Amino acid sequence: DESPAIPTVSSLWGVFRLILAESRQWERRVEDLSTPARILAKGDLEERRAQLQNELDLKHEQILALEIYMKDQLKLKDDITPRGISGGWEENIESNIKDTRERITEAKLDLLFNIQKELKQIGGELESIYEQEHDANETLQYFRDWHEAEQGALWELQREHNREVEARDLKHRIVDETLKWKVVFTVPSGKPDKRKPVRYARAQCASEDRVDDLIERAGVKNDAYRENVNLATLFAPFEKMWEKCNNMASLPVGVINDRVTNTGQPDGLASLLQAQQPRSKAKVGFPMRVPFHLLEEVRGESMAIEAMKANVRSY
């Protein structure tokens, strides 16, 4: 079995043009049958047929009336008495019968050869006009339906072609977008670098993977930056404290003793720095009592700093 041939645009267009030409020709035919002159002539024929039909009915009634009158005259002739015969009634009745018979004959001849003949002729002309109009309208409607069907087939073929073109363009756009987002490595001179780095081999396979990799790297750098900022903020007070320690370490021992003596209560940094000063054979001044409470305070601060550093490293 041979498979049916797939219709092409050229074949459908050829059939469409033929159908369109036939449709226009029958449209002109319907217009010719609907001209004012033809409409007026058809109206005159219809009016004349109605008039002849009325005359035909009147002629039938006339003939029927004459036949009834003739039957009455014949009955009178059969029932006439000898006295009526002698009085001349028989001759009068025969004269009426003869005249009635002639009138009936004349009426029937006029009915058959004038009224009915003309009525039949006009009826034939009107039937021919009606048949022409009906055939023209039916044929025009047939070609119009066929025209719409072929036009629908052409539109469907056009829509299918448009869908194929859109699908092909979509593939091209996807490929163009993929190539646009693909990472191209170049050498310092601007030429493409054909040596693909190993660390970017996976990222080059798909642009989405490359974007995810870049986002992950940016997140790691952002986290490292936040850690540095948090550590700097956390150790800022301790840096100030050690800066004070360094400043006081550069002072002579006598100045530190004077500061302790004047206040009467040595601060933690002064006592710590005083303990770090190298001992000399010269006699130096000491406070009245050893500041053990300050040593405990400094030890607690050191332990707190170590604990905070451990917590920061664990993050």
Side-chain angles (χ1 to χ4, degrees), residues 123 183 204 234:
V183 178
Q204 287 181 350
L234 182 63

Side-chain angles (χ1 to χ4, degrees), residues 270-299:
S271 60
L272 181 62
L273 292 175
Q274 185 177 2
Q276 293 179 355
Q277 293 292 333
R279 295 183 179 182
S280 61
K281 296 181 179 180
K283 187 177 181 179
V284 295
F286 287 96
M288 298 300 295
R289 58 188 180 86
V290 179
F292 292 104
H293 64 283
L294 295 179
L295 294 176
E296 294 294 335
E297 183 179 353
V298 172
R299 188 179 295 111

